[in-house]
Amino acid sequence: MKFTDLGLSAPLLEAINKQGYDTPSPIQAGAIPAVLEGKDVMAAAQTGTGKTAGFTLPVLENLSGGKKAKSNHVRALILTPTRELAAQVAESVETYGANMPISSTVVFGGVKINPQMMRLRKGIDVLVATPGRLLDLYSQNAVKFDQLEILVLDEADRMLDMGFIRDIKKIIALLPQKRQTLMFSATFSDDIRRLAKGLVHNPVEISVSPPNTTVKAVEQWICPVDKAQKSALLVHLIKENVWDQVLVFTRTKHGANKLTKILDKAGIKAAAIHGNKSQGARTRALAEFKDYKVQVLVATDIAARGIDIDLLPHVVNFELPNVPEDYVHRIGRTGRAGSKGEAVSLVSADELKQLGDIERLTQELLARKVVPGFEPSNKLPETTLKPVKRKRPKKNNTRGRVEHKDGQRSGDNSRGHQPRGQSRRK
């Protein structure tokens, strides 16, 4: 199948050809015809499968024959969880809509709101937005939805993970009920399906990969190492293997900053990207990384969501994520568009649980390579794909037991599970 077989108009085909593409990816081949027919769509696809073009192209096509947006109105709304992803989706809209008389803009927090309000005043056909900034603009009457024809939720799973569910529900309540709705997510989790109820109408479901599988083009391996030696090992790997472009993941913003300083001291040009950085700093760091002016980009999971770099060769998990699904998202940054990639995880003995959770989720044991000179003194135990047996709690009588409200964890109560009248030892 070729893009010419999908029913797209000449201006879009010309823009696609200019980008060097002629064959759609599986998600594009499935989603584009369904969107063009005006159907609601729920699509599950991993990062790097071409899903952005999978909704951008047919949205532009469907808008091409309609009336222009009135002042402060929008015709298509694309919601994304992060600023970086919003900027990249907006870039895709501009790229593919270059030959079409369709206006577009992007709005997100961390930058001044007035220029965004000025752009919206003219009326916008395609608006890419993060939820918080969109609600700010709506509260100031800067954006209206009477003309809205299409809603796209991009990376819906991440929006739920980041706590945007209330904002999303508020936004949906403002939109016309008669519209086309497209949901793109890494997986169809139970939470996603609950969100979809009442949001999409008889949707076409498209899934191009089994849930929580890792990209086969990515060579994955772990390097057992003591926690205190991780920084030195990372420096060694970068220099020894002459890695010129490496995306490194840390769990925390503080950890990202600290590691960046260590790499700089070792003569490796590095930049950090996380939520505490200004939007200007994040955009600049990403641009310099893409241009090879920065050798290593150190990122947290949330900040890295939406980073789209062609042919990124190396991803390093400096620390394993607490949520195993995040491992799949992280290593999906490499091995894209048919290219080979490498994902290395530096794993210390105290990360055994996270390692086991990742391997059981992906259903594969990761190869281990100990780097000479960095042999761990605290050995990393072997892992298994078998489910971990949980010990059953002993049965107690209910007298004196502390009851918890729905959703409350024991740690949220100062007594935990202790009987009333007893306090913890200080």
Side-chain angles (χ1 to χ4, degrees):
M1 179 183 283
K2 302 290 184 184
F3 275 110
T4 49
D5 301 323
L6 296 180
L8 297 169
S9 60
L12 285 172
L13 292 173
E14 186 183 335
I16 294 166
N17 186 56
K18 191 174 180 182
Q19 295 303 306
Y21 302 124
D22 59 6
T23 305
S25 68
I27 189 66
Q28 292 163 356
I32 290 173
V35 179
L36 289 177
E37 289 176 22
K39 295 177 179 177
D40 285 5
V41 169
M42 286 182 66
Q46 293 177 343
T47 300
T49 55
K51 64 181 174 61
T52 303
F55 62 77
T56 299
L57 291 167
V59 164
L60 289 168
E61 186 68 62
N62 286 352
L63 293 177
S64 62
K67 293 181 180 178
K68 295 293 291 181
K70 299 175 187 175
S71 177
N72 291 110
H73 285 72
V74 297
R75 297 173 60 207
L77 172 63
I78 303 173
L79 285 177
T80 70
T82 67
R83 305 166 186 176
E84 283 74 25
L85 184 57
Q88 291 188 23
V89 171
E91 187 179 336
S92 180
V93 172
E94 280 189 23
T95 298
Y96 292 119
N99 306 318
M100 308 177 81
I102 287 180
S103 59
S104 64
T105 193
V106 59
V107 297
F108 45 70
V111 295
K112 291 180 179 179
I113 198 169
N114 284 344
Q116 296 176 354
M117 294 173 74
M118 293 295 289
R119 291 198 299 273
L120 286 166
R121 196 171 291 174
K122 299 173 185 176
I124 295 295
D125 293 314
V126 182
L127 176 64
V128 186
T130 52
R133 177 49 61 94
L134 184 68
L135 287 171
D136 287 344
L137 288 161
Y138 180 81
S139 69
Q140 298 186 49
N141 294 317
V143 62
K144 299 175 183 178
F145 303 111
D146 300 346
Q147 274 189 276
L148 189 91
E149 301 169 37
I150 304 169
L151 168 67
V152 182
L153 294 181
D154 189 19
E155 301 212 356
D157 55 329
R158 180 56 60 169
M159 283 199 266
L160 296 187
D161 291 345
M162 292 173 66
F164 285 137
I165 184 64
R166 284 187 179 180
D167 286 350
I168 292 169
K169 287 182 175 178
K170 282 181 187 176
I171 291 165
I172 289 166
L174 303 172
L175 308 181
Q177 286 194 342
K178 188 179 178 182
R179 64 170 188 270
Q180 184 178 19
T181 303
L182 317 175
M183 287 183 66
F184 283 74
S185 175
T187 59
F188 291 150
S189 65
D190 292 340
D191 287 338
I192 290 295
R193 292 196 178 277
R194 277 192 290 271
L195 175 63
K197 277 190 178 179
L199 182 60
V200 290
H201 179 66
N202 293 330
V204 174
E205 287 198 14
I206 302 162
S207 184
V208 298
S209 58
N212 301 318
T213 56
T214 51
V215 180
K216 296 303 178 189
V218 180
E219 181 193 351
Q220 303 170 62
W221 56 281
I222 65 172
C223 191
V225 62
D226 289 333
K227 195 171 185 177
Q229 288 285 37
K230 282 190 177 186
S231 300
L233 174 57
L234 179 59
V235 169
H236 171 82
L237 288 171
I238 292 169
K239 290 187 173 181
E240 184 73 15
N241 296 297
V242 198
W243 289 346
D244 59 356
Q245 195 179 50
V246 192
L247 177 59
V248 179
F249 284 95
T250 62
R251 282 200 208 117
T252 66
K253 302 167 190 174
H254 172 72
N257 288 337
K258 184 178 177 183
L259 182 58
T260 300
K261 290 177 182 176
I262 291 170
L263 291 170
D264 278 336
K265 281 185 180 177
I268 298 169
K269 181 70 174 170
I273 181 169
H274 54 67
N276 282 359
K277 294 282 186 180
S278 70
Q279 184 56 40
R282 289 160 74 167
T283 302
R284 187 165 56 253
L286 185 55
E288 289 180 347
F289 183 60
K290 285 183 175 182
D291 291 340
Y292 293 90
K293 294 175 183 176
V294 164
Q295 189 175 352
V296 180
L297 189 65
V298 185
T300 55
D301 286 297
I302 288 176
R305 192 69 169 190
I307 286 179
D308 189 5
I309 300 159
D310 291 336
L311 308 179
L312 175 64
H314 309 287
V315 168
V316 175
N317 293 300
F318 187 77
E319 296 156 322
L320 291 181
N322 289 322
V323 179
E325 287 83 359
D326 284 341
Y327 174 83
V328 177
H329 292 311
R330 286 180 177 189
I331 72 163
R333 298 286 176 269
T334 186
R336 293 178 161 196
S339 64
K340 294 288 183 182
E342 182 177 28
V344 184
S345 300
L346 312 186
V347 185
S348 53
D350 64 342
E351 294 175 295
L352 180 65
K353 180 186 179 300
Q354 287 94 329
L355 176 61
D357 288 345
I358 288 165
E359 291 179 327
R360 281 188 291 276
L361 178 77
T362 59
Q363 283 299 292
E364 58 181 314
L365 292 173
L366 296 172
R368 300 184 179 205
K369 300 178 188 176
V370 175
V371 175
F374 294 91
E375 297 84 354
S377 54
N378 296 311
K379 190 177 177 184
L380 181 66
E382 293 300 317
T383 49
T384 174
L385 296 181
K386 292 179 182 178
V388 177
K389 290 184 179 180
R390 307 290 180 190
K391 290 183 180 179
R392 288 187 177 182
K394 292 179 181 179
K395 288 185 178 179
N396 291 335
N397 62 39
T398 56
R399 288 180 61 191
R401 189 175 68 196
V402 176
E403 298 295 335
H404 299 289
K405 296 176 184 176
D406 288 346
Q408 184 185 42
R409 298 181 303 245
S410 298
D412 295 334
N413 188 301
S414 60
R415 286 188 299 271
H417 283 296
Q418 293 175 321
R420 295 181 187 276
Q422 293 185 20
S423 60
R424 286 181 180 166
R425 292 182 179 178
K426 303 289 184 185

